[in-house]
């Protein structure tokens, strides 16, 4: 019963953070802010989802694979976001400021 409750809680937290990342990708104004939302919230969401999967299967092999996947996600998501924002900065894409939103209205 406790394991089932933990699985549901971890899956719900994972869905919540993934939803927050999706909203951030849609609502934030520039590539730098979107990258921040995708990196932080999506990594947490994926982490909690993978933990829920590891608890669900419960065997040593599946748990080890899930933990390896978790380490891979924690390593690659921030690295990819950094590479994307660095490429955007190299291409001369300006950072959004509050002055930009006032001028567009």
């Amino acid at each position: 019963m406790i394991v089932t409750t933990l699985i549901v809680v971890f899956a719900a937290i994972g869905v919540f953070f993934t939803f927050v990342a999706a909203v951030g990708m849609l609502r934030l104004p520039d590539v730098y802010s979107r990258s921040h939302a995708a990196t932080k919230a999506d990594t947490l969401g994926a982490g909690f989802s993978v933990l829920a999967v590891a608890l669900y299967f419960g065997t040593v092999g599946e748990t080890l694979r899930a933990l390896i996947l978790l380490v891979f996600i924690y390593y690659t998501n921030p690295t990819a976001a950094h590479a994307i924002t660095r490429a955007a900065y190299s291409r001369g894409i300006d950072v959004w400021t509050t002055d930009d939103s006032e001028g567009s209205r």
Side-chain angles (χ1 to χ4, degrees):
M1 180 69 178
I2 293 174
V3 174
T4 304
T5 303
L6 284 176
I7 291 169
V8 170
V9 168
F10 285 158
I13 293 172
V15 168
F16 171 75
F17 279 113
T18 303
F19 180 73
V20 168
V23 170
M25 291 292 290
L26 293 174
R27 297 284 301 170
L28 292 176
D30 66 348
V31 68
Y32 305 105
S33 302
R34 290 177 185 157
S35 170
H36 180 77
T39 303
K40 305 294 186 221
D42 192 43
T43 303
L44 270 176
F48 278 107
S49 297
V50 169
L51 281 176
V53 168
L55 286 176
Y56 176 77
F57 285 110
T59 63
V60 175
E62 298 300 328
T63 302
L64 183 64
R65 286 186 190 109
L67 291 178
I68 290 171
L69 177 64
L70 187 64
V71 169
F72 181 74
I73 289 171
Y74 279 173
Y75 180 73
T76 57
N77 268 1
T79 304
H82 178 75
I84 290 169
T85 54
R86 186 179 175 118
Y89 185 75
S90 297
R91 301 270 324 219
I93 297 174
D94 292 330
V95 177
W96 178 82
T97 61
T98 55
D99 295 337
D100 292 342
S101 65
E102 293 172 1
S104 64
R105 290 183 183 175

